[in-house]
Amino acid sequence: MTRIPGQHAPRPAGRAGARTRAQEGADHDLATLFGESSAIFAYLAGPAHMLETANEAFFTAIGGERTRTGLPLGQLMPELAEQGFLTLLDRVYRTGGAHVARDARVLLGEGDSAREGFFNFTYEPRVDEGGNVMGVRVVGVETTQVKQAQRLTAEHRVLLEQIARQAPLPDVLDGMARAIELLAPEEVLVSVLLADPDGRHLRHGAAPSLPGFYNRAIDGIATGEGVGSCGTAAHRRSSVIVTDIATDPFWDDFRALADQAGLAACWSTPILARDGALLGTFAMYHRTPRTPQDADLALARVFADTAALAIERHHAEQARTAAEAREKAARDDLAFLLSASSALASDLDVPQVLTRLADSCVPKLAPMCTVDLIEGGAVRRIATSAPDRIQRDLLSTHIPVYDAADDAVARVLASGTSEVARRTPTGPGPWHDLKITGYLCIPLMDRGQTFGAVTLLSTGDHVFDGHTVALAEELVRRAASAARNARQYAHRAALARDLQAGLLLPGLPDVPGTDVATYYHPAGEGLDIGGDFYDVFPLKDGRWAFLLGDVCGRGAIAATTTALVRHTARAVASRLPGPADVVQAVNEALTDRPSSHGTGFVTLVYGQLTPTPTGLDIELVRAGHTPPLHRDARHAVHTLDPQGLLLGITPDAHVTAHRLHLRPHESLVLYTDGITEARRRDGEQLGDQRLAEAVAHIPGQPRARHIIDAIITALHDFTEEGDVDDDQAMLVLTATEESPAAP
């Protein structure tokens, strides 16, 4: 900004102006503390040092009623003799040489009225016209107040350094009080009271020299007009000076207490924050009635400001610590909820989910916990958690009554709202034996409907605060969601199992001369209907049909396609001459199906076997499926690879039949691509070669089930028991030594 010559800069306004006035006030207080030095003069005559004349400042400095002249200085101030000052005067008088002293300590007066003073002074010889010494001239300046203020300033600097280092507030306030009491020129007892957050009461802060009973008595006094010096100063937000406690009405309620403590005067200054909020009071007590000087009031204001700085710094540290504690508590709550949620979601069984819920609540949220569900119009206790088995047994044997008006669980189930109390639950129960002192009951909700309740129980000093209630309600809400998911999973898995069971054989038939074994393992968690299927059923003339296939896709559409293939094969197999004709009929059924019933293709191995005295005669066709394996009596494994197209793509399947004879202990192994395409972590597949080797390496003359077990073991070893990402099915036919009966 360009300033026009001759103009003065404007004075700052608003808050800046307030700061300027505050700074000016602080500067004035410091100036008052340091005081204004006055020169003292005295003229002494003769060897007896007769006081001829002196200025007013001299008489003020020596104090008392000693204002007479014409007396020897030793008679006017006898205390100087023992301190050596008269000897110095004698030396100056005798030698004519001046004596200069800096900050000389002088004890002025005697007895109880004596005071300590510090002076810069010079003793100069007075000479006549002939050069003879006729007396001594004393010129000096009292530095007592300056020295005292310097010492207070040093202590003040120490306090500021403590505040900057974030020393504990009690240590800072106690150190401040002791420093003032030690350095004050007259006896003073310092007290600091701290304001409650609402500013309505004052609490003990520091008062090292006041009696303990007095500090305890005034701890917690109210702020208000006429409540002693401190309560009134806090109420008025301005200093209150009581020079005589014995007669001041502010002390009517505390006069006896002050008399017992030997207190006669009290000057109190409010400690205010930068925004004007009350932080406390700074008080200076005296043993005798006393009126403060300007320096006393300045001292009170300076140290009240210092106390304000310490208290505000303490409040800021408390706020920071509280914020960190809240942040840590929030992190801990979140970690608890995440851990508990993971535990709840790790199981898809409703009772297990709710058991994990009860275990998560104890002891984090309460000493004990129960979980009750509504089943068939009655309440069933599904889970309990407690510190020991006896307590768990007591909780397990108590079942709430669903429609009882005096039961907390029944009320929560009816209302759908939480209930909390610091008392024993109403209604019958093992409350006395468990020493229950309170409870929190929270409903388990699913789409607005209550299906259960979680009850947390207190013992001893444990209570449910708002934080615990909110955390428990959030955990129960998550548990209700996990239970709903578990129920949905159970329903879906049961539906899938039921549908899948309808598409698979309920039990293996007893095929003459044949050992039959099957294996089926769906991908994932069994929630969808798989696309793999198998079947074995009898035909006319002692023959048997068998098939194993794979439908493209999963779920309901795959189920309809599977049913179409199996039912078509069963319907036409006895009426058509051979396997190729049956597969062609299946293909026609697939190509003629409505598009809403699916359009995916099917791979299939279909065959017919005839038991004979020497084994099994088999004729089979392969329609785009993985090639079957033939294990002969010498453990050699042969791949059967008759040609044929996928079914459901073109009107003509173009399949060719393949015939073979299984001698006793020889086997035919049918499998889906979920076996050979199983992958390990590096992505490599099991493959046809490893499967053939697993079948070939089976020792002895294995039964059909042993062959399946060997393949499963090889599969698990290869994949390291990893997840199954495709359905797996196998059908093994092994010829036995038993001769079939003649047809």
Side-chain angles (χ1 to χ4, degrees):
M1 179 179 69
T2 303
R3 181 176 298 166
I4 301 174
Q7 279 194 337
H8 297 288
R11 293 178 61 86
R15 294 182 62 185
R19 286 197 297 270
T20 301
R21 289 191 295 274
Q23 184 61 49
E24 290 174 351
D27 293 343
H28 174 73
D29 288 339
L30 291 175
T32 302
L33 287 174
F34 278 93
E36 297 179 359
S37 300
S38 299
I40 60 175
F41 299 95
Y43 289 86
L44 307 178
H49 312 303
M50 186 74 65
L51 179 62
E52 288 186 346
T53 184
N55 66 351
E56 184 177 352
F58 176 83
F59 292 114
T60 300
I62 66 175
E65 303 296 330
R66 302 183 293 188
T67 58
R68 296 176 57 189
T69 58
L71 293 175
L73 188 62
Q75 182 179 343
L76 183 64
M77 301 176 66
E79 67 270 19
L80 296 182
E82 293 182 0
Q83 300 177 64
F85 292 105
L86 295 182
T87 302
L88 292 176
L89 289 172
D90 292 341
R91 183 186 306 165
V92 173
Y93 185 83
R94 289 195 313 269
T95 64
H99 175 80
V100 178
R102 292 288 182 268
D103 286 333
R105 180 180 180 274
V106 183
L107 188 64
L108 299 171
E110 296 177 320
D112 294 339
S113 61
R115 77 175 182 91
E116 182 183 53
F118 293 87
F119 294 85
N120 293 336
F121 64 86
T122 302
Y123 293 167
E124 298 177 344
R126 296 170 57 199
V127 296
D128 56 16
E129 293 179 356
N132 299 312
V133 177
M134 54 180 291
V136 178
R137 178 170 59 249
V138 179
V139 180
V141 176
E142 183 172 1
T143 61
T144 303
Q145 195 171 9
V146 173
K147 191 171 185 64
Q148 191 74 12
Q150 288 174 338
R151 293 166 66 183
L152 286 173
T153 299
E155 292 293 338
H156 187 254
R157 184 183 303 111
V158 171
L159 292 174
L160 294 177
E161 291 175 354
Q162 285 184 307
I163 295 171
R165 293 196 307 269
Q166 297 183 352
L169 180 63
D171 293 350
V172 175
L173 297 181
D174 187 80
M176 180 182 73
R178 293 181 184 278
I180 296 172
E181 292 173 351
L182 178 65
L183 299 176
E186 297 185 8
E187 183 184 17
V188 62
L189 294 83
V190 175
S191 168
V192 178
L193 297 178
L194 302 176
D196 280 345
D198 59 5
R200 296 180 179 179
H201 294 84
L202 298 173
R203 303 291 176 182
H204 174 72
S209 299
L210 288 175
F213 73 86
Y214 183 84
N215 290 330
R216 290 189 294 272
I218 66 172
D219 184 23
I221 63 169
T223 61
E225 189 70 17
V227 186
S229 301
C230 295
T232 305
H235 174 69
R236 293 181 176 182
R237 303 293 202 275
S238 61
S239 297
V240 171
I241 307 300
V242 173
T243 59
D244 189 354
I245 291 176
T247 60
D248 196 291
F250 287 173
W251 282 81
D252 287 347
D253 295 335
F254 305 96
R255 188 168 291 115
L257 179 66
D259 183 64
Q260 184 182 359
L263 305 176
C266 179
W267 316 330
S268 182
T269 301
I271 302 173
L272 302 177
R274 284 169 292 182
D275 60 359
L278 178 69
L279 300 175
T281 58
F282 173 85
M284 302 172 71
Y285 290 87
H286 299 273
R287 299 289 189 186
T288 58
R290 186 164 180 267
T291 300
Q293 304 299 315
D294 289 344
D296 297 320
L297 299 178
L299 180 68
R301 287 191 293 269
V302 167
F303 280 94
D305 289 343
T306 304
L309 180 62
I311 296 170
E312 283 194 291
R313 186 65 175 266
H314 175 69
H315 287 174
E317 182 64 19
Q318 282 187 319
R320 184 187 66 81
T321 302
E324 290 178 350
R326 288 193 299 271
E327 181 182 356
K328 182 181 183 301
R331 290 197 305 268
D332 291 345
D333 289 347
L334 180 59
F336 167 70
L337 288 174
L338 290 176
S339 176
S341 298
S342 298
L344 295 173
S346 65
D347 203 299
L348 293 173
D349 176 72
V350 173
Q352 188 62 36
V353 168
L354 298 180
T355 298
R356 292 180 186 272
L357 168 63
D359 292 340
S360 297
C361 291
V362 177
K364 172 69 174 178
L365 301 179
M368 303 180 199
C369 178
T370 65
V371 182
D372 300 296
L373 294 184
I374 302 173
E375 293 183 352
V379 177
R380 177 191 171 200
R381 180 141 294 173
I382 199 74
T384 61
S385 184
D388 59 52
R389 184 183 60 80
I390 296 176
Q391 293 171 322
R392 288 194 298 272
D393 290 344
L394 285 172
L395 289 174
S396 299
T397 56
H398 166 251
I399 305 297
V401 180
Y402 183 33
D403 55 356
D406 63 345
D407 191 275
V409 172
R411 290 194 298 271
V412 169
L413 291 174
S415 66
T417 58
S418 299
E419 183 175 313
V420 61
R422 294 186 180 182
R423 56 173 172 78
T424 300
T426 57
W431 318 128
H432 177 74
D433 294 337
L434 293 172
K435 298 180 175 57
I436 301 302
T437 58
Y439 66 91
L440 167 62
C441 191
I442 306 171
L444 283 161
M445 308 289 291
D446 183 4
R447 297 180 178 89
Q449 298 296 318
T450 304
F451 68 90
V454 179
T455 305
L456 305 178
L457 299 168
S458 289
T459 60
D461 296 332
H462 179 274
V463 294
F464 295 106
D465 55 18
H467 169 262
T468 303
V469 172
L471 190 60
E473 289 182 330
E474 174 61 21
L475 178 60
V476 171
R477 185 191 66 78
R478 297 185 180 206
S481 177
R484 180 175 64 250
N485 293 338
R487 285 198 304 272
Q488 291 176 343
Y489 171 83
H491 292 161
R492 185 173 176 182
L495 177 61
R497 285 195 302 270
D498 293 343
L499 289 174
Q500 193 75 59
L503 299 175
L504 299 174
L505 289 174
L508 293 177
D510 185 9
V511 181
T514 309
D515 180 21
V516 182
T518 59
Y519 171 78
Y520 176 79
H521 184 62
E525 298 177 343
L527 295 179
D528 287 329
I529 304 166
D532 293 2
F533 61 94
Y534 56 81
D535 201 357
V536 179
F537 55 91
L539 300 174
K540 296 177 180 179
D541 303 327
R543 292 177 300 141
W544 287 78
F546 62 88
L547 59 88
L548 183 139
D550 187 358
V551 175
C552 176
R554 297 176 60 81
I557 296 299
T560 61
T561 303
T562 297
L564 177 63
V565 173
R566 290 182 64 221
H567 294 160
T568 299
R570 279 178 171 258
V572 304
S574 296
R575 294 173 173 82
L576 296 177
D581 301 300
V582 174
V583 171
Q584 180 60 38
V586 170
N587 185 62
E588 291 175 359
L590 289 173
T591 55
D592 291 343
R593 61 185 161 168
S595 60
S596 60
H597 291 183
T599 58
F601 58 84
V602 176
T603 67
L604 181 69
V605 173
Y606 174 80
Q608 296 175 355
L609 65 85
T610 303
T612 70
T614 60
L616 301 175
D617 286 336
I618 294 178
E619 181 181 2
L620 62 82
V621 294
R622 184 175 73 92
H625 198 76
T626 53
L629 299 178
H630 171 212
R631 172 182 158 117
D632 62 24
R634 297 185 303 275
H635 301 183
V637 175
H638 312 279
T639 300
L640 308 181
D641 194 16
Q643 299 302 306
L645 299 178
L646 300 170
L647 303 182
I649 303 298
T650 63
D652 194 343
H654 297 290
V655 294
T656 58
H658 179 85
R659 292 179 175 83
L660 75 155
H661 182 74
L662 291 184
R663 295 179 176 83
H665 308 299
E666 293 189 345
S667 300
L668 177 66
V669 180
L670 310 181
Y671 58 93
T672 59
D673 58 6
I675 301 292
T676 54
E677 293 180 1
R679 299 175 183 272
R680 58 188 181 190
R681 289 184 176 85
D682 61 4
E684 186 176 359
Q685 296 181 349
L686 178 69
D688 298 330
Q689 183 63 34
R690 289 191 180 91
L691 176 61
E693 291 174 356
V695 174
H697 292 163
I698 302 172
Q701 298 174 341
R703 295 179 58 85
R705 171 52 54 187
H706 296 158
I707 294 176
I708 287 180
D709 291 343
I711 294 174
I712 294 173
T713 300
L715 183 66
H716 287 175
D717 291 344
F718 177 76
T719 61
E720 298 178 353
E721 298 189 6
D723 294 335
V724 177
D725 55 8
D726 194 7
D727 301 324
Q728 298 172 348
M730 288 184 283
L731 171 63
V732 177
L733 305 173
T734 300
T736 66
E737 293 180 344
E738 299 176 1
S739 300

